[in-house]
């Protein structure tokens, strides 16, 4: 037996860490969403619940502190970059050392095995040396070390594990409360489920009912274990998203069909459809991307009858319908997602101010289209899962400045640290009769 073969067998990494490395690679190198990729990989892996939980924490926790870990690794190694697969292995090892209850020896040795198996035996020594330096301080010690030369904003960003520009945006909105709000983004939420009205009861969700939405419940574990979720009679949806749907559905409006202008992937559309059917109305759910329109159709598949909702692939800025047609319009526009960082932990490191600059013009066009689509007296909900002022009040101010046919009825800004929800923004606007 060759010596090299014996070495490879000795260095065989355990399967949960291999799966976590594969998922993290999809996130850092292919722009996959960590939560969706984790669910996809685990659904085929057949791991026991303990190992599945370990993989989930390893991936989501590493994504949450990714930027902080990269600064720690740079300081510990004296290098600005690594081979991408090695960087992911080192990030996973750093998370085990600084944020999980994994012994230092186990965290380092398993990461050396992982790096050697996925990158090559030649990086084993480097991996071992870098992680031993990382292990010389705990997480607070590293943050204090890196913050020595930072200003107040830099220290806040480091302490709460966010890029500077996001920390600044929170300060602009919340002042001294920004620290608490940013820290809340680091607390993983218990999954929240929602029933499709008329198709399931909240008791079928087997969880703790949500305090403000009558259609939701919080339940740890795999949502796919529930028959109502598997059959499309219920789904996964943050309570904040449920509340903005209810705000639109419960507003005074004339009779007529409802529209979801940017419906993908279909969570809000599914709740809206059931509420519309209860009022003997019909929902048209429009989504630009055909593959996301298919997801919307899947979310609506359990509804039937004369008011069955319809899903189409269409550009919301170039409506495929007549203007002035809809009694209620949901404009849940594409945004930076800075309000959903608890559930999409990698987004904070992926998004940049340049993304913001690209999205705001699209958000203005979509809001204008939504208002044009509303019937006289009809109501439009302008919704973002971002609290950033440019995407909320900035868009509203720019669009409403050019219109004298719209009145603003209410504004709601939810926050994780205040409301226990995503940081959803919702403005209800009425087109004058």
């Amino acid at each position: 037996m060759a010596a090299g073969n014996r070495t490879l067998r000795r260095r065989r990494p355990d399967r949960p860490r291999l799966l976590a490395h594969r998922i993290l690679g999809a996130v850092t190198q292919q722009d996959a969403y960590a939560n969706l990729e984790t669910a996809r990989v685990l659904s085929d892996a057949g791991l026991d619940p303990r190992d599945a939980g370990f993989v989930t924490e390893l991936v989501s926790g590493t994504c949450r502190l990714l930027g902080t870990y990269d600064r720690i690794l740079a300081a510990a190694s004296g290098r600005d970059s690594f081979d991408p697969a090695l960087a992911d292995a080192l990030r996973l090892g750093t998370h085990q050392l600084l944020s999980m209850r994994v012994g230092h020896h186990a965290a380092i040795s398993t990461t050396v095995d992982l790096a050697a198996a996925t990158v090559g035996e030649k990086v084993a020594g480097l991996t071992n040396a870098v992680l031993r330096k990382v292990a010389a301080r705990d997480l607070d010690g590293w943050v204090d070390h890196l913050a020595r030369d930072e200003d107040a904003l830099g220290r806040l960003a480091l302490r709460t594990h966010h890029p500077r520009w996001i920390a600044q945006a929170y300060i602009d909105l919340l002042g001294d409360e920004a620290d608490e709000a940013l820290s809340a983004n680091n607390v993983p939420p218990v999954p929240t489920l929602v029933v499709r009205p008329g198709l399931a009861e909240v008791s079928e969700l087997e969880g703790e009912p949500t305090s403000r939405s009558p259609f939701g419940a919080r339940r740890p574990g795999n949502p796919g274990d529930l028959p109502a979720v598997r059959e499309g009679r219920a789904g996964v949806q943050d309570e904040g998203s449920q509340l903005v749907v209810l705000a639109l559905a419960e507003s005074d409006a004339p009779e007529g069909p409802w529209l979801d202008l940017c419906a993908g992937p279909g969570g809000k559309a599914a709740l809206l459809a059931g509420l519309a059917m209860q009022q003997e109305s019909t929902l048209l759910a429009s989504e630009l991307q055909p593959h996301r329109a298919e997801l919307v159709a899947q979310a609506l598949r359990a509804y039937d009858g004369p008011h069955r909702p319809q899903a189409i692939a269409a550009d919301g800025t170039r409506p495929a319908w007549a203007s002035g047609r809809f009694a209620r319009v949901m404009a849940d526009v594409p945004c930076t997602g800075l309000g959903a960082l608890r559930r999409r932990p990698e987004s904070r490191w992926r998004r940049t101010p340049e993304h913001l600059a690209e999205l705001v013009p699209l958000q203005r066009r979509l809001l204008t289209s939504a208002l044009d689509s509303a019937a006289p007296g009809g109501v439009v909900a302008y919704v973002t899962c971002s609290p950033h002022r440019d995407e909320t009040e900035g868009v509203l101010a720019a669009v409403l400045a050019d219109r004298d046919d719209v009145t603003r009825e209410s504004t709601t800004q939810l926050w994780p640290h205040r409301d226990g929800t995503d940081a959803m923004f919702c403005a209800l606007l009425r087109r004058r009769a």
Side-chain angles (χ1 to χ4, degrees), residues 310-390:
Q310 181 184 5
I312 63 171
D315 185 348
T317 65
R318 298 177 181 177
W321 48 83
S323 63
R325 177 184 171 193
F326 295 95
R328 290 180 171 85
V329 180
M330 170 65 72
D332 178 20
V333 297
C335 67
T336 56
L338 300 186
L341 297 180
R342 302 179 306 162
R343 293 184 293 106
R344 299 172 190 162
E346 73 284 356
S347 292
R348 73 188 71 182
W349 309 112
R350 183 177 289 171
R351 290 296 192 183
T352 67
E354 286 71 29
H355 289 116
L356 190 67
E358 292 172 3
L359 285 165
V360 166
L362 173 62
Q363 292 163 350
R364 292 178 181 176
R365 293 198 299 274
L366 287 167
L367 176 55
T368 298
S369 179
L371 292 168
D372 291 341
S373 300
V379 179
V380 173
Y382 176 73
V383 172
T384 72
C385 58
S386 167
H388 198 288
R389 188 167 288 155
D390 288 359

Side-chain angles (χ1 to χ4, degrees), residues 141-157:
W142 273 112
V143 169
D144 290 343
H145 178 71
L146 296 172
R148 290 173 305 170
D149 300 324
E150 294 283 350
D151 58 12
L153 175 60
R155 290 193 294 274
L156 174 65

Side-chain angles (χ1 to χ4, degrees), residues 106-433:
I108 293 172
S109 64
T110 55
T111 304
V112 170
D113 289 349
L114 179 64
T118 56
V119 183
E121 185 65 27
K122 62 184 182 299
V123 303
L126 173 63
T127 303
N128 182 68
V130 172
L131 290 184
R132 287 187 179 280
K133 290 185 177 179
V134 170
R137 293 185 171 93
D138 62 14
L139 181 59
D140 289 341
W142 273 112
V143 169
D144 290 343
H145 178 71
L146 296 172
R148 290 173 305 170
D149 300 324
E150 294 283 350
D151 58 12
L153 175 60
R155 290 193 294 274
L156 174 65
L158 257 174
R159 189 171 64 252
T160 59
H161 312 298
H162 289 75
R164 284 177 65 96
W165 75 279
I166 295 179
Q168 182 64 64
Y170 272 61
I171 291 173
D172 293 343
L173 290 163
L174 295 168
D176 293 341
E177 199 179 337
D179 195 330
E180 184 182 2
L182 290 164
S183 298
N185 289 336
N186 298 327
V187 181
V190 175
T192 304
L193 309 179
V194 62
V195 296
R196 314 300 194 211
L199 300 178
E201 300 296 329
V202 171
S203 59
E204 295 181 64
L205 302 180
E206 300 178 5
E208 179 184 354
T210 47
S211 60
R212 297 167 67 181
S213 167
F215 299 103
R218 292 186 173 84
R219 177 186 182 277
N222 182 7
D225 293 340
L226 297 174
V229 174
R230 292 198 300 273
E231 295 163 5
R233 297 183 293 110
V236 178
Q237 186 175 58
D238 181 75
E239 188 180 14
S241 294
Q242 298 177 41
L243 293 176
V244 299
V245 169
L246 290 172
L248 175 62
E250 294 174 351
S251 61
D252 291 331
E255 294 183 357
W258 299 14
L259 171 67
D260 189 345
L261 187 67
C262 316
K268 293 185 183 67
L271 181 54
L272 271 175
L275 296 171
M277 293 176 74
Q278 288 182 341
Q279 298 186 31
E280 299 185 343
S281 291
T282 301
L283 176 76
L284 175 65
S286 174
E287 166 56 40
L288 173 62
Q289 301 292 340
H291 70 283
R292 285 170 60 85
E294 179 58 32
L295 293 176
V296 177
Q298 282 294 311
L300 301 176
R301 69 186 185 281
Y303 288 114
D304 205 353
H307 299 291
R308 181 178 183 178
Q310 181 184 5
I312 63 171
D315 185 348
T317 65
R318 298 177 181 177
W321 48 83
S323 63
R325 177 184 171 193
F326 295 95
R328 290 180 171 85
V329 180
M330 170 65 72
D332 178 20
V333 297
C335 67
T336 56
L338 300 186
L341 297 180
R342 302 179 306 162
R343 293 184 293 106
R344 299 172 190 162
E346 73 284 356
S347 292
R348 73 188 71 182
W349 309 112
R350 183 177 289 171
R351 290 296 192 183
T352 67
E354 286 71 29
H355 289 116
L356 190 67
E358 292 172 3
L359 285 165
V360 166
L362 173 62
Q363 292 163 350
R364 292 178 181 176
R365 293 198 299 274
L366 287 167
L367 176 55
T368 298
S369 179
L371 292 168
D372 291 341
S373 300
V379 179
V380 173
Y382 176 73
V383 172
T384 72
C385 58
S386 167
H388 198 288
R389 188 167 288 155
D390 288 359
E391 300 183 270
T392 57
E393 294 294 346
V395 169
L396 287 168
V399 172
L400 298 185
D402 294 331
R403 303 191 67 122
D404 59 5
D405 63 337
V406 178
T407 57
R408 180 166 169 166
E409 301 220 323
S410 68
T411 303
T412 302
Q413 175 64 68
L414 302 171
W415 292 99
H417 67 294
R418 293 180 185 170
D419 305 291
T421 67
D422 288 348
M424 299 295 299
F425 175 89
C426 177
L428 291 181
L429 310 169
R430 185 178 301 279
R431 194 167 183 188
R432 292 196 180 97

